[in-house]
Amino acid sequence: MPIIVLSQEAIDNSKQPEIGWSPAKLVGVNEAPTKEGKENSVNYFFTFILEGGPEKEMKNAGRTVTRFFNNHALGMGGNGSKSGVPELVHLYRTMISALLGLTSFEETKAGSYDTDKLIGKTCWVHVNWSQPYKGKSNLTAVDFSAYGDIPF
């Protein structure tokens, strides 16, 4: 029988982050088709490693949080709509602005953003419970702020 080693680091990293603002580094962006298998429907997953928080504490250091966006919700076509879901378009613009160090989401204009160039950038993320979807809720990034602008 194999012996499986479980490290303390793995246990620490598996803990859910605590609610509040935390400094975070974007470490990955992945895409996957939706589970429903809808044609031309893709989810984009932005994974952040928390570097501290919540607020001035360090309890969240080393924990991860993921925020996902669907291409249709961002108005990226396939369903004939180019407008997207306003709240999610706003949140996406806020995230991109924060990662680029901009002070306002309004500075993020229409265009293409190379996610490879965002990897390694830091910002503040607000960790909180997501809106329930199909009866489930999870801890996710619900807001973003530029690293130089402490949001609390």
Side-chain angles (χ1 to χ4, degrees), residues 34 40-44 69-78 81 84:
T34 60
N40 299 321
S41 188
V42 177
N43 289 330
Y44 300 99
F69 296 93
N70 179 272
N71 66 320
H72 295 298
L74 295 177
M76 291 170 48
S81 171

Side-chain angles (χ1 to χ4, degrees), residues 36-138:
E36 291 85 20
K38 294 179 184 173
E39 189 173 337
N40 299 321
S41 188
V42 177
N43 289 330
Y44 300 99
F45 298 89
F46 292 78
T47 303
F48 294 86
I49 297 275
L50 304 179
E51 297 179 332
E55 282 74 40
K56 296 179 181 179
E57 297 183 35
M58 292 299 291
K59 294 178 184 176
N60 283 344
R63 298 179 185 178
T64 61
V65 67
T66 301
R67 177 71 219 192
F68 90 91
F69 296 93
N70 179 272
N71 66 320
H72 295 298
L74 295 177
M76 291 170 48
N79 62 354
S81 171
K82 299 283 186 206
S83 60
V85 177
E87 296 85 8
L88 293 176
V89 172
H90 181 274
L91 183 61
Y92 180 75
R93 288 177 70 195
T94 301
M95 181 186 73
I96 296 299
S97 295
L99 288 167
L100 293 175
L102 306 174
T103 56
S104 169
F105 80 94
E106 293 176 354
E107 295 180 64
T108 301
K109 305 296 183 194
S112 300
Y113 294 91
D114 184 349
T115 57
D116 287 342
K117 293 180 179 176
L118 299 175
I119 303 292
K121 300 226 180 248
T122 57
C123 67
W124 287 92
V125 299
H126 186 219
V127 177
N128 209 335
W129 291 101
S130 65
Q131 294 293 322
Y133 178 72
K134 294 186 178 182
K136 296 180 182 177
S137 187
N138 63 315

